[in-house]
Amino acid sequence: EGKMKLQGNQGARYTKGTSPAFDQLLQQFFSEYGLADRTSGIALNWYPDGDSVLGSHRHDCWTALFSFGHERILTIDKTPLLLQDCDLVIFGTQRHGVPKMPEVAGGRITVPIFFYPTSMQMKKQWQTLTDPEDPRKSTELSKLQSTHQLGADTLQLSLWSDPARNAALQQLLQLGFEESASRNALQSAGFDAEQAAELLLLAGAADDLGLQEQTASSSSSSQPNRWGKKLAKAQAAFIPTDEELALRLQFEDDPALGACCELHGADADAILAAQLEEESMNEDNTFLLAQQFEEYEQQMNRADAERWHGKGDLMESNFARANLSLSTMDKVSVLSIGHGQMTEKSFYELLQLNSVRVLYDFRASDHRGDVHAPCEHFSVRALKSSCRMRGIAYKHVALGRESAYGILKHVKMDEAQHALVELAWHGKRSRSCFLGFEPDWRLDHRQVVADELVSAGHTVKHIDSTGRTEDH
C-alpha cells in the first residue's frame, strides 16, 4: 500500500433544502457573521466511530466548522482542540485533521463552511500574491492589503457618523476619558453612554487629574448634569482592591450576583475565597486537559512509529527510537521455547501446536559470531531455511554474547531493547515466540529475557517438551 492511509470517514456536499432546520441555522450564521457573499462551499463529513480519521491538510480559504454528535479532537497546527456536540470553531488556513480515538464508539457529523475573510480575497483567490523566488510583496498583495486598510477605515468612519453615537462619544470625551477607550466601551455597551461610562470608571480608564479639573470647571460654570453627578458619586465611593475590582467586573455580567453581594468585610473575603477556589479548580482542569491532549499526541506518535512492514529493523529511524519503548508498547503475550536435543520434527510440531508464526532466536554466539547448536538442524542457517518453508518469520539476534559482557548487561543495552520492542510489535499482530538453548527456562538465558519483558508489563509463557505452557 506504500504511504496510503485509510481514513474511514465519508464526505459529501451539502445541498440547500436537505434540512430546513439547518438551512435556518446557516441563514442566521451568515447574517451574524456577514458571510453570505463570501462562501466557497459547504461540505459534510461523517465519522462512524473513533477509528475514522481525517489526515492533516489545509485549504486556501478559512473554515467555520460545526460539529454534531460524539466529541472528537480536531488538531489545528498540531494543537489539539476537543469539539463537543453543537460546537462551532472558526480558523484560517492552518493545517488541520482528525486523529484516531479508538475509545470513541459513537458517530459524529461535521459541517465545514469554507469562506474568505473579505470580498476582495474572494475575488482574488486564484491570483498569485507572492513570488516564491522573491520575498518582496507582489503588486497584488500590496493592492489587497491597501484595500483591506481602506475598508477598515471606511467602516470606522461609517460607524461613528451616526449623530447619536457621536454625541455619546463626545460626552465621554468631555468627562476626560481617552478616545480609543471610549470607542471600545461604547461598542461593548451597545452605544449606551451611561453603561459605557460605568465600564470605564470600573476599569480605571479615566485620568484622575483630568477628571478633577473637568469636575471643577463644570461645577463652576454650570449646574452638574447627570454625568457630573455620577462622576462625583464614583469619586466619593469606596476605592476597591484589585481582587474586589475583578469580582465587581465579573458581577457586571450577572446582575443577580451583583444585587445580592456587597464587597465589604467578611462577605468580600468569603466571595474572594470562593473565587480563588474556583480559579484553582479551573487551573487543575486545564492541567488535566493538557495532560490528556499530550497523551493523545503520544498515542498518535506511537501509532505512526509502529508503521512497519515486519522486515529489517523497526527501530532504524530516530522517530521510532524516540517514540517506541518496551514499557510504552501495548501489552502483549509471547511464548518462549528451548530446543535442547529435540528432533526437527518434534520442534516444529510444538511450534505448530501453539500456532507460532514468528520466531526470534535470542541464542548467544561466540567471538566469531557462530551459534554452537547441539544439532545441525538448529543452526542459524538451517532454522532460517526451514522456518521460511513453513511460513514462519525468523530473525536471529545474539543476546548475551561475550562481546556484550553477558546476558545481564546486554539485555539493558539498546540492541537488546530494540529486539524486544520488535518482538512485542509482532506479538501484537501474530503468535510470537523467542528461542533459547535449554528446554528448562530456569537454566537458560531465556529467564533474563522473560524477566525484562514481564517487568515492562508483558506476559511470557514457556513451552515445555509436551507442548503445555507455563507462566513466567
Side-chain angles (χ1 to χ4, degrees):
E1 296 181 359
K3 294 185 178 180
M4 293 177 61
K5 183 187 295 184
L6 298 177
Q7 298 190 150
N9 68 313
Q10 303 175 24
R13 287 296 234 181
Y14 179 78
T15 305
K16 184 177 180 181
T18 304
S19 172
F22 191 71
D23 287 343
Q24 185 177 1
L25 175 64
L26 288 177
Q27 185 178 3
Q28 181 180 354
F29 173 74
F30 290 154
S31 176
E32 183 172 348
Y33 288 89
L35 303 179
D37 58 342
R38 292 187 277 126
T39 59
S40 61
I42 303 174
L44 291 172
N45 289 319
W46 160 242
Y47 302 85
D49 50 35
D51 290 331
S52 302
V53 299
L54 182 62
S56 180
H57 63 287
R58 66 191 309 166
H59 308 288
D60 66 334
C61 54
W62 287 30
T63 305
L65 181 71
F66 287 95
S67 180
F68 303 103
H70 207 285
E71 61 183 20
R72 289 293 297 271
I73 285 180
L74 172 70
T75 59
I76 302 177
D77 278 348
K78 297 184 179 180
T79 300
L81 177 65
L82 184 64
L83 293 183
Q84 298 179 335
D85 186 28
C86 298
D87 277 355
L88 168 65
V89 58
I90 300 177
F91 53 92
T93 59
Q94 299 97 323
R95 295 192 68 86
H96 56 282
V98 180
K100 181 182 292 187
M101 296 175 64
E103 69 278 9
V104 173
R108 170 181 180 244
I109 294 177
T110 61
V111 184
I113 302 171
F114 305 110
F115 68 96
Y116 289 87
T118 65
S119 299
M120 178 63 68
Q121 288 174 322
M122 180 70 178
K123 296 177 181 178
K124 305 267 185 181
Q125 55 181 301
W126 304 115
Q127 296 188 15
T128 301
L129 299 183
T130 56
D131 186 353
E133 304 298 331
D134 187 355
R136 296 174 299 177
K137 294 180 181 179
S138 67
T139 304
E140 291 296 336
L141 180 59
S142 300
K143 287 181 180 179
L144 187 61
Q145 292 179 338
S146 176
T147 303
H148 176 74
Q149 183 61 39
L150 289 174
D153 295 341
T154 304
L155 178 62
Q156 287 293 325
L157 183 61
S158 62
L159 187 65
W160 298 104
S161 60
D162 182 82
R165 295 176 180 177
N166 190 46
L169 176 62
Q170 294 302 321
Q171 288 179 341
L172 294 180
L173 294 178
Q174 290 175 5
L175 292 175
F177 296 114
E178 294 181 357
E179 183 175 357
S180 60
S182 300
R183 291 177 184 270
N184 293 334
L186 283 171
Q187 293 184 48
S188 301
F191 299 98
D192 187 324
E194 184 174 356
Q195 292 184 10
E198 291 177 353
L199 289 175
L200 291 169
L201 288 172
L202 288 174
D207 181 72
D208 292 338
L209 180 60
L211 285 175
Q212 292 174 2
E213 292 177 354
Q214 181 68 26
T215 305
S217 62
S218 48
S219 61
S220 60
S221 60
S222 62
Q223 294 292 330
N225 56 18
R226 57 172 180 163
W227 303 112
K229 293 179 181 179
K230 184 175 291 292
L231 182 60
K233 181 179 179 181
Q235 289 177 330
F238 169 74
I239 300 177
T241 63
D242 292 341
E243 293 84 358
E244 292 173 342
L245 180 58
L247 287 175
R248 185 174 294 176
L249 288 174
Q250 180 179 353
F251 292 149
E252 283 293 321
D253 297 334
D254 193 342
L257 288 176
C260 63
C261 297
E262 294 293 336
L263 300 178
H264 299 289
D267 292 340
D269 294 338
I271 295 173
L272 179 59
Q275 176 74 6
L276 294 176
E277 182 180 0
E278 182 180 355
E279 291 177 357
S280 176
M281 293 177 62
N282 290 336
E283 291 177 358
D284 293 340
N285 292 336
T286 303
F287 176 72
L288 292 175
L289 188 59
Q291 281 187 324
Q292 185 180 9
F293 286 157
E294 183 179 359
E295 182 179 352
Y296 284 136
E297 185 72 19
Q298 292 174 356
Q299 290 178 359
M300 289 186 287
N301 288 339
R302 284 198 297 270
D304 291 338
E306 287 186 21
R307 290 193 175 93
W308 184 48
H309 47 66
K311 298 180 181 179
D313 187 3
L314 169 64
M315 306 295 282
E316 181 179 5
S317 66
N318 293 330
F319 182 76
R321 290 194 292 271
N323 292 281
L324 296 181
S325 66
L326 192 60
S327 58
T328 59
M329 295 283 289
D330 292 340
K331 308 312 174 189
V332 299
S333 177
V334 297
L335 300 168
S336 86
I337 189 172
H339 56 71
Q341 300 285 342
M342 289 186 203
T343 64
E344 182 178 9
K345 179 181 178 181
S346 298
F347 177 73
Y348 285 106
E349 283 179 350
L350 292 179
L351 295 185
Q352 184 179 7
L353 182 64
N354 289 275
S355 304
V356 173
R357 307 310 306 162
V358 177
L359 182 64
Y360 265 61
D361 187 353
F362 288 154
R363 297 176 299 169
S365 58
D366 59 13
H367 64 282
R368 294 188 301 271
D370 297 330
V371 175
H372 296 284
C375 306
E376 179 60 27
H377 54 266
F378 288 126
S379 66
V380 173
R381 179 179 298 178
L383 282 173
K384 184 181 297 184
S385 176
S386 56
C387 283
R388 184 186 301 115
M389 290 189 300
R390 291 172 171 84
I392 298 175
Y394 172 84
K395 185 174 184 178
H396 176 244
V397 182
L399 299 187
R401 59 181 182 271
E402 295 178 4
S403 59
Y405 307 101
I407 186 63
L408 293 176
K409 182 75 172 179
H410 196 189
V411 78
K412 299 295 184 181
M413 295 182 177
D414 287 345
E415 180 185 16
Q417 290 292 316
H418 293 173
L420 294 180
V421 168
E422 286 186 10
L423 179 64
W425 185 93
H426 283 290
K428 181 180 177 180
R429 292 158 177 82
S430 58
R431 195 78 160 164
S432 303
C433 180
F434 60 95
L435 177 65
F437 283 109
E438 302 296 333
D440 188 353
W441 60 269
R442 298 172 184 84
L443 306 176
D444 195 17
H445 286 177
R446 288 183 293 142
Q447 180 178 3
V448 179
V449 176
D451 287 342
E452 188 70 14
L453 287 166
V454 171
S455 65
H458 304 281
T459 303
V460 177
K461 296 180 181 291
H462 303 284
I463 304 174
D464 63 16
S465 58
T466 64
R468 290 192 296 266
T469 60
E470 178 185 357
D471 291 338
H472 184 74

